Amino acid sequence: MAKNKLDQIDITYQGRDYWRLLSLYWLSIEDYSEAFLVHQKALRKYPDDDFVWNNYGVLLGQKEHWDEACAAFEKAGAKGLIRRQSVQINLSRCAIRQNQVNLAEIYLKQAKEIADLPLIGLMTELNLVLIQGSNDKARLIFNNIQADKETARGSVHFDEYNCLSRHLIARETDPTLYSSASNFTCLNGSRY
């Protein structure tokens, strides 16, 4: 239905919002080959569009092209007139992947300043505090995620949720094994 509405828009009215919606449509239905084509076309038309750059980074993450995805997120962050929470979260996840824990923390703090963290932000924060070795803080964050467990279980981040759960329980069961910071991450099963 949404695609039918987009198809009805005359070419003279196919501006920035049209391309944002079209790119988001293909991303949301998980037709990644079409999504790539549409995002690339949108970026040729609007090379400074932070929204499209961010979603293009998500697509690159789907293909596990992490360096390219992080470069797209950086462009989204640099080109945006305002900070987008999703961009800051994605930049934080990139920093975690690159073992830049302090930078990841800065990006996540910026995301929290924009609004309360959504599920992906909470899982990013949980990854970060587990890396830092803060088990008490990890439990608090995990409890917030569990309060909305059905959302976590039904999300594209289900594998990450399970990984985080296992790591937290292991740390609480034997704190002497996990008493300091580490470079573990649960991002490997994640789409970005």
Side-chain angles (χ1 to χ4, degrees), residues 11-30:
I11 196 164
T12 57
Y13 297 105
Q14 292 179 1
R16 183 182 302 267
D17 289 337
Y18 168 83
W19 286 99
R20 284 178 170 185
L21 289 171
L22 187 63
S23 64
L24 191 57
Y25 169 78
W26 289 110
L27 180 62
S28 69
I29 66 163
E30 299 181 0

Side-chain angles (χ1 to χ4, degrees), residues 50 54-55 58 70 72-96 100 102-115 117-118 120-122 124-125 128 192:
D50 60 323
N54 186 54
N55 287 339
V58 171
C70 291
F73 296 138
E74 287 171 13
K75 286 182 182 175
K79 294 181 181 291
L81 297 176
I82 59 167
R83 282 201 174 132
R84 291 185 185 275
Q85 187 180 49
S86 58
V87 172
Q88 298 310 114
I89 291 169
N90 290 335
L91 286 168
S92 180
R93 294 171 74 79
C94 284
I96 290 171
Q100 297 176 325
N102 292 338
L103 184 59
E105 193 169 27
I106 290 167
Y107 285 132
L108 199 58
K109 183 179 182 225
Q110 292 169 350
K112 287 172 145 181
E113 289 170 356
I114 295 168
L117 292 176
I120 185 66
L122 289 172
T124 303
E125 185 176 33
L128 187 59
Y192 56 91

Side-chain angles (χ1 to χ4, degrees), residues 2-17:
K3 178 70 169 70
N4 291 343
K5 295 276 188 197
L6 288 169
D7 288 342
Q8 293 174 10
I9 297 174
D10 187 84
I11 196 164
T12 57
Y13 297 105
Q14 292 179 1
R16 183 182 302 267
D17 289 337

Side-chain angles (χ1 to χ4, degrees), residues 5-177:
K5 295 276 188 197
L6 288 169
D7 288 342
Q8 293 174 10
I9 297 174
D10 187 84
I11 196 164
T12 57
Y13 297 105
Q14 292 179 1
R16 183 182 302 267
D17 289 337
Y18 168 83
W19 286 99
R20 284 178 170 185
L21 289 171
L22 187 63
S23 64
L24 191 57
Y25 169 78
W26 289 110
L27 180 62
S28 69
I29 66 163
E30 299 181 0
D31 184 336
Y32 301 124
S33 58
E34 188 64 30
F36 266 105
L37 295 173
V38 169
H39 277 80
Q40 289 168 343
K41 191 171 183 179
L43 288 170
R44 280 192 300 277
K45 290 180 172 286
Y46 301 99
D48 293 333
D49 192 288
D50 60 323
F51 182 90
V52 178
W53 274 113
N54 186 54
N55 287 339
Y56 188 58
V58 171
L59 281 169
L60 291 165
Q62 287 284 7
K63 297 251 184 210
E64 296 185 9
H65 297 173
W66 305 121
D67 290 339
E68 293 172 59
C70 291
F73 296 138
E74 287 171 13
K75 286 182 182 175
K79 294 181 181 291
L81 297 176
I82 59 167
R83 282 201 174 132
R84 291 185 185 275
Q85 187 180 49
S86 58
V87 172
Q88 298 310 114
I89 291 169
N90 290 335
L91 286 168
S92 180
R93 294 171 74 79
C94 284
I96 290 171
R97 284 186 187 284
Q98 297 162 348
N99 292 319
Q100 297 176 325
V101 176
N102 292 338
L103 184 59
E105 193 169 27
I106 290 167
Y107 285 132
L108 199 58
K109 183 179 182 225
Q110 292 169 350
K112 287 172 145 181
E113 289 170 356
I114 295 168
D116 290 338
L117 292 176
L119 176 62
I120 185 66
L122 289 172
M123 289 199 295
T124 303
E125 185 176 33
L126 183 51
N127 259 292
L128 187 59
V129 298
L130 285 171
I131 289 168
Q132 294 169 327
S134 180
N135 295 345
D136 292 339
K137 190 171 182 182
R139 172 47 67 185
L140 290 173
I141 296 165
F142 188 74
N143 288 346
N144 284 339
I145 293 170
Q146 276 202 308
D148 200 7
K149 188 178 355 182
E150 291 309 311
T151 301
R153 287 184 176 161
S155 80
V156 295
H157 304 289
F158 182 65
D159 290 341
E160 184 176 344
Y161 170 78
N162 282 335
C163 176
L164 290 165
S165 176
R166 285 190 307 273
H167 276 280
L168 179 60
I169 291 167
R171 285 167 181 251
E172 290 175 335
T173 304
D174 192 351
T176 57
L177 270 175

